[in-house]
Amino acid sequence: MHSPTLVIVAGILAVLVTTVLYAVWHFNKGIPGLRLWTLSFLSASVFCAILLVRDYTPEVLSVVLTQASISVAAYLCLLASRAYMGRHPLPHGYAVTVIAAVMALAAYFTVVQPHLGVRFALAGSVSGACFLLTAHTLARGGFRNVPARYLFALVAGLHGLFLFLRPLLFRLATPEVGGGAGADMVALLSQFVVLEATLALVMMAFGTLMLTNEYITSELRHLAEMDPLTNVFNRRAFLTLMDKAISSAQRTPSGLSVLAMDLDHFKKVNDTWGHKSGDDVLRHFVRLATGCLRKEDVMGRLGGEEFAIFLPNASSEGTRAVAERLRAMVASQPVLTDRGPIALTVSIGATQYLPGDSSDALLQRADEAMYLAKEHGRNRVEARAL
């Protein structure tokens, strides 16, 4: 019970979407979940093709293949959403077992005990559950921050809910005693089901492209704001965030402290051990530093071996404690390389926000304290206006 014209349109759209997503994935293979979404729409294309040739194939084969293709399409969509959100993949054994059971039951209710209603309910149970789980997986992160996820989740959730409810619609439309009006209603509902599936396919295709754009935009923003070697904020992004912290400090009585840090004799490390070891030293230092910080503290690489950290809501005693703890950790934990351990020390300058300070003035004062630490022998903490 389906309209061939609507199925042909749905099939053409599924093939076009599959082709577009494959082209996007071919040039952006790092986008999580995109390959699985492409395979999901490919399975939907297979589903439409099977519907179109069902009059020319054995009934049991057509039923089993349609059940399998639509279930696989929904399951791949769920896997894609989990991959996109960075969640662990589901164990495929359970899915294979469930899909195989659905295929076996579909064959049973086709050959042994024919029952169209049961087959229809089976077709919607697995795919409906997968689409509802897809919606639950994607609805994360806040609508203002990631609206594409919520729009995709809305479409997937409504489609999954409809798949669960459509057997009830057909049951209500089927007359207890045969009649032309009931048959017409069933035919109309069949066309509506295909139309809803086509609209859901198109909307989820747009949703997939929106999620792809969201990921690419996020990656570009990450590249623009983060230092690629150490994965902390670059100078421009760090100063922007510090300006916001200064604005907050001006409105509230909470303190704001800044640490300026410079690795001692870093040029000697590069000259002696090579630039690769120098990169390892920088990454090692960042790991130690981030281990000393709170969630709200912000670290940035200002250039070369120079780093800075600002500490919101930090007292002078707390600032000194953080700086001393970091200095001691760096001095006591050499960098382990293939050529042996590299001893490392750091000079740290500390200061606090004073009324009227700009970000440049605040950072300049921390730099002056840091250079004072170098003049006094390195591997020490000096403070100004703290």
Side-chain angles (χ1 to χ4, degrees), residues 1-7 51-55 187 190-191 194:
M1 297 185 299
H2 66 278
S3 169
T5 302
L6 287 175
V7 175
L51 286 182
L52 290 173
V53 299
R54 67 185 303 175
D55 293 335
S190 300
Q191 294 181 356
V194 178

Side-chain angles (χ1 to χ4, degrees), residues 6 76 117 119 167 226 262 289 310 360:
L6 287 175
L76 288 172
R119 298 205 312 257
M226 309 301 288
D262 187 271
F310 68 77
D360 290 335

Side-chain angles (χ1 to χ4, degrees), residues 21-229:
L21 291 181
Y22 175 79
V24 175
W25 171 78
H26 182 73
F27 294 103
N28 301 273
K29 293 184 178 180
I31 299 177
L34 185 56
R35 181 179 66 88
L36 293 169
W37 267 310
T38 303
L39 294 175
S40 174
F41 283 103
L42 178 61
S43 298
S45 304
V46 172
F47 171 74
C48 294
I50 295 170
L51 286 182
L52 290 173
V53 299
R54 67 185 303 175
D55 293 335
Y56 309 99
T57 56
E59 183 183 16
V60 64
L61 178 62
S62 175
V63 168
V64 169
L65 290 179
T66 53
Q67 294 278 1
S69 58
I70 196 62
S71 297
V72 168
Y75 178 63
L76 288 172
C77 185
L78 173 60
L79 291 181
S81 67
R82 291 181 65 87
Y84 185 85
M85 297 298 291
R87 302 180 64 178
H88 296 296
L90 296 171
H92 299 316
Y94 294 113
V96 171
T97 302
V98 171
I99 294 175
V102 169
M103 294 169 62
L105 288 172
Y108 175 83
F109 286 107
T110 302
V111 178
V112 180
Q113 188 177 346
H115 198 297
L116 182 61
V118 174
R119 298 205 312 257
F120 205 56
L122 286 172
S125 60
V126 175
S127 53
C130 287
F131 283 120
L132 288 175
L133 289 173
T134 296
H136 181 265
T137 301
L138 286 174
R140 298 285 190 279
F143 182 80
R144 291 181 179 273
N145 298 324
V146 282
R149 298 181 192 177
Y150 287 83
L151 294 176
F152 192 110
L154 177 64
V155 174
L158 291 176
H159 182 55
L161 186 63
F162 179 77
L163 291 176
F164 275 113
L165 294 179
R166 68 182 184 180
L168 179 61
L169 295 178
F170 276 94
R171 185 175 181 82
L172 293 176
T174 302
E176 295 296 331
V177 181
D184 291 341
M185 181 60 70
V186 168
L188 184 61
L189 278 176
S190 300
Q191 294 181 356
F192 176 73
V193 165
V194 178
L195 180 61
E196 185 277 336
T198 304
L199 291 176
L201 183 145
V202 173
M203 294 300 293
M204 281 192 275
F206 278 113
T208 303
L209 293 175
M210 290 173 65
L211 290 177
T212 299
N213 179 69
E214 174 191 288
Y215 180 84
I216 294 175
T217 302
S218 176
E219 287 295 294
L220 291 175
R221 185 182 300 115
H222 181 83
L223 291 174
E225 294 180 349
M226 309 301 288
D227 173 57
L229 177 62

